[in-house]
């Protein structure tokens, strides 16, 4: 058998070469389209998913019956106000099963599910199935958990080599890319509302095993429609503190009691205000991180201006990429490169 195969190969070198050339061209075309391991070229059709290697088949999202029969919860790995999350097993794969915590929050849960369904992309956690009747969502499991764990993980001896300004800056670029996607999504401009403090923001994103970021919790994601004059308010409670944007705070002073309906609405530029604080956390204290901070100073000052003067997420992303390129090329301010 094997000898026969070798003989056939020897007899048809032309066909083999042609085959290899075709495969190389296909790979090249995939890369040119922005594909690769995190790209969309190997993505499944809508309503389907693939776990693991790109050569695996796509499966349709699991429905109620399959969730009940085939998914086995193993242990609780996270909980927020809306969802309780269990590391679970499905056909020998580790998966994350999210369950609604209290029935009163079912609208948030279902909105989050709707957003997960509609916004599947490399920026959003992979949806594997759902059961609306039982309030269950099945997603890809990410063992590093939420972005809150970043410093703890990068401090493990095993991941020491990843704790560099470069890796950390790439995470900040991922984060701003996600905002850029949400602000310019195929469905319109979304605001990441569940973000009243740094820990809250970090808990909505997951750190993937190859050190990228995906957004996971889309329960509080209202739509802005500026041309129709439709702006948003994040929740019904008063927001306080320096972390939230000034326009999210009660404008009428302490003498007027807070009233939701008197709160002026705002738009996605509240997300821009928060970028410097999130990036600051992501950059951490790796060698060279301070030099990155130094180069981001100007764009970060702009993020803290009044809403109309703030840059868009695209503009911030563009600045970040330019800084990264200049740092990697060594075309940074004379003398400062030694700090890296
Ligand atoms: N796919 C997942 N893989 C690993 N951990 C997860 C996953 N999904 C959620 N978690 C953990 O569960 C926490 C709560 O999930 P989240 O969807 O934010 O719930 P809530 O809507 O209640 O805030 C996350 O911060 C994270 O720590
Ligand atoms: Mg959450």
């Amino acid at each position: 058998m094997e000898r026969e195969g070798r003989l056939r190969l020897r007899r048809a070198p032309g066909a083999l070469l042609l085959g290899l050339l075709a495969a190389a061209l296909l790979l090249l075309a995939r890369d040119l389209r922005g594909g690769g391991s995190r790209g969309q070229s190997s993505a499944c059709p809508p309503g389907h998913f693939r776990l693991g290697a790109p050569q695996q088949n796509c499966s349709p999202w699991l429905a109620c019956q399959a969730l009940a029969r085939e998914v086995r919860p193993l242990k609780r790995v996270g909980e927020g106000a809306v969802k309780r999350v269990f590391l679970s097993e499905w056909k020998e794969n580790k998966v994350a099963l999210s369950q609604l915590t209290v029935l009163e929050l079912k609208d948030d849960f279902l909105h989050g599910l709707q957003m997960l369904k509609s916004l599947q992309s490399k920026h959003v956690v992979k949806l594997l199935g759902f059961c609306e009747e039982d309030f269950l969502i099945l997603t890809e499991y990410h063992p590093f958990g939420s972005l809150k764990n970043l410093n703890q993980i990068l401090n493990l001896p095993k991941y020491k080599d990843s704790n560099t300004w470069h890796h950390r800056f790439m995470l900040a670029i991922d984060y701003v890319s996600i905002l850029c996607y949400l602000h310019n999504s195929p469905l319109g401009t979304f605001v990441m509302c569940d973000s009243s403090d740094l820990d809250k923001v970090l808990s909505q994103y997951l750190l993937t095993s190859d050190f990228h970021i995906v957004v996971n919790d889309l329960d509080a994601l209202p739509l802005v429609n500026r041309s129709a004059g439709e702006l948003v308010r994040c929740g019904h409670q008063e927001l306080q503190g320096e972390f939230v944007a000034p326009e999210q705070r009660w404008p009428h002073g302490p003498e007027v009691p807070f009233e939701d309906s008197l709160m002026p609405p705002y738009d996605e530029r509240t997300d821009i205000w928060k970028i410097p604080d999130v990036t600051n956390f992501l950059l951490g204290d790796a060698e060279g991180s301070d030099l990155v901070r130094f180069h981001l100073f100007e764009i970060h000052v702009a993020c803290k201006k009044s809403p109309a003067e703030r840059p868009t997420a695209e503009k911030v992303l563009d600045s970040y990429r330019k800084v990264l390129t200049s740092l990697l090329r060594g075309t940074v301010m004379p003398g400062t490169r030694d700090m890296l």
Side-chain angles (χ1 to χ4, degrees):
M1 271 284 284
E2 206 188 309
R3 213 173 55 204
E4 214 180 285
R6 267 205 302 264
L7 279 177
R8 227 183 279 133
L9 277 181
R10 228 179 281 148
R11 265 188 234 128
L16 181 69
L17 268 177
L18 264 175
L20 284 174
L21 193 67
L25 280 173
L26 269 174
L27 281 174
L28 184 69
R30 193 183 75 163
D31 279 355
L32 286 175
R33 286 199 310 265
S37 59
R38 294 190 79 230
Q40 293 305 294
S41 60
S42 59
C44 293
H48 292 68
F49 70 94
R50 176 197 289 124
L51 279 179
Q55 59 272 21
Q56 298 271 314
N57 287 337
C58 294
S59 316
W61 285 334
L62 304 190
C64 297
Q65 216 175 45
L67 284 185
R69 282 188 190 161
E70 298 169 15
V71 177
R72 195 161 60 97
L74 301 174
K75 70 164 183 177
R76 197 165 84 181
V77 289
E79 182 163 348
V82 182
K83 287 171 256 131
R84 194 167 292 134
V85 185
F86 296 87
L87 161 64
S88 308
E89 200 175 45
W90 174 72
K91 293 191 174 169
E92 295 178 3
N93 295 292
K94 286 179 174 176
V95 292
L97 184 69
S98 301
Q99 194 179 47
L100 176 66
T101 49
V102 281
L103 210 52
E104 293 85 83
L105 297 175
K106 70 175 174 21
D107 291 345
D108 301 74
F109 181 94
L110 293 174
H111 179 72
L113 171 58
Q114 188 54 46
M115 294 295 101
L116 279 183
K117 286 189 214 171
S118 317
L119 297 175
Q120 285 292 291
S121 70
K122 68 170 181 176
H123 301 293
V124 177
V125 72
K126 196 181 283 183
L127 182 64
L128 311 180
F130 55 88
C131 177
E132 299 191 9
E133 294 98 285
D134 294 340
F135 301 106
L136 294 171
I137 299 177
L138 194 71
T139 51
E140 182 172 13
Y141 175 68
H142 292 284
F144 290 165
S146 92
L147 257 195
K148 283 210 276 190
N149 302 333
L150 179 67
N151 288 330
Q152 206 184 319
I153 285 162
L154 288 179
N155 283 328
L156 293 173
K158 208 163 133 185
Y159 301 115
K160 208 176 68 219
D161 292 346
S162 297
N163 193 11
T164 60
W165 68 265
H166 186 197
H167 273 95
R168 283 175 166 275
F169 192 20
M170 292 298 285
L171 289 176
I173 290 178
D174 267 4
Y175 172 68
V176 178
S177 304
I178 294 173
L179 288 185
C180 203
Y181 175 68
L182 295 177
H183 292 180
N184 302 284
S185 93
L187 303 182
T189 299
F190 289 106
V191 185
M192 192 63 192
C193 262
D194 214 343
S195 57
S196 50
D197 58 54
L198 179 62
D199 254 23
K200 199 55 164 280
V201 174
L202 300 174
S203 76
Q204 320 301 10
Y205 296 84
L206 299 171
L207 180 62
T208 68
S209 308
D210 58 352
F211 290 103
H212 281 285
I213 301 178
V214 287
V215 61
N216 167 64
D217 183 353
L218 301 174
D219 299 349
L221 200 75
L223 192 64
V224 168
N225 187 347
R226 206 172 296 111
S227 53
E230 287 163 21
L231 301 176
V232 306
R233 288 189 198 95
C234 289
H236 306 286
Q237 314 287 328
E238 181 176 357
L239 296 173
Q240 290 171 324
E242 284 299 307
F243 188 80
V244 297
E247 66 272 23
Q248 293 187 282
R249 297 179 215 141
W250 180 240
H252 302 300
E255 50 292 343
V256 185
F258 176 80
E259 206 189 306
D260 191 22
S261 61
L262 295 181
M263 186 63 211
Y266 38 84
D267 63 19
E268 78 282 5
R269 285 172 291 197
T270 54
D271 287 336
I272 307 295
W273 169 272
K274 296 163 190 168
I275 290 177
D277 301 79
V278 178
T279 292
N280 194 30
F281 167 83
L282 295 174
L283 288 176
D285 57 3
E287 215 176 310
S289 286
D290 276 343
L291 181 61
V292 181
R293 280 189 186 89
F294 173 80
H295 284 280
L296 298 181
F297 182 79
E298 214 172 309
I299 188 75
H300 282 175
V301 167
C303 292
K304 296 288 187 182
K305 289 186 174 168
S306 69
E309 290 177 288
R310 282 175 215 156
T312 60
E314 273 162 304
K315 174 81 185 32
V316 178
L317 184 58
D318 188 51
S319 302
Y320 276 27
R321 286 190 173 138
K322 283 188 177 134
V323 169
L324 177 67
T325 310
S326 67
L327 285 169
L328 291 176
R329 279 205 196 124
T331 54
V332 292
M333 275 177 52
T336 54
R337 205 182 138 69
D338 295 345
M339 288 166 71
L340 289 176

